[in-house]
Every structure is written in structure tokens, then in C-alpha cells.
Amino acid sequence: MPDTTYAIAAVLVAAAVTWALRALPFAALAPLRASSTVQYLSTRMPAGIMIILVVYCLHDLPVTEVRAVAPLVALGVTVGLHLWRRNALLSILGGTTVHVLLTSTVFSA
């Protein structure tokens, strides 16, 4: 059984590290808000990240096979819903629902 002083010190160090790690983003965020680079990235990054995610998710998709239809239809539904309603939650839920329905019923193995 560890010494009581050792246990208390370990808990205090863990608490201090946890507090510091949680406070650091807020301390670092204040000077970044005025940066023109950060403002530029904040307008361009969401679309860029979505493109990277789409490419990553679809790069191994065998487009010559029938099982490729479900993800492509779900992608189309997601993009269509987003262009129609401009609601990210609706787009994500709609595309996910279509993908799950197609893969579990129509294109199940």
C-alpha cells in the first residue's frame, strides 16, 4: 500500500495537469482570435475538411460493384438535403438513414 503522502501528491499532480490541459486552449485562443490567418482558415476549413472526409471514405469504394450504390446514393442524399435546407444535422441524419436502410435491406449480403 503506497504511503499516504505519496498518494496525496499523485492526486494533486494529476489534478494540476488536468486543470492545466483544460485551461490551455482558452488561454491560447485569446491571441489567435485577432489573427488574419485564423480568420481566413475559419471560413475555408469546414469545406476543406468535408472534402477530405468524403475522399477518405470513398477512396476504396469499388464503383464497378453493386455494393457501391448505397454509399453513393447516401452521399447524393446528404448533399441534396444540405443544398436544399442548409441544415447540417438534417443532412447528416438523412444521409446516414438512407445508407443504413440501403445496406441493411436492399444491398445486404
Side-chain angles (χ1 to χ4, degrees), residues 10 47 63:
V63 293

Side-chain angles (χ1 to χ4, degrees), residues 66-78:
V66 176
R67 64 185 176 106
V69 173
L72 294 175
V73 169
L75 176 64
V77 168
T78 303

Side-chain angles (χ1 to χ4, degrees), residues 49-69:
I49 290 172
M50 291 308 295
I51 290 170
I52 290 169
L53 286 172
V54 168
V55 169
Y56 175 76
C57 289
L58 299 179
H59 81 283
D60 282 339
L61 192 65
V63 293
T64 57
E65 296 181 20
V66 176
R67 64 185 176 106
V69 173

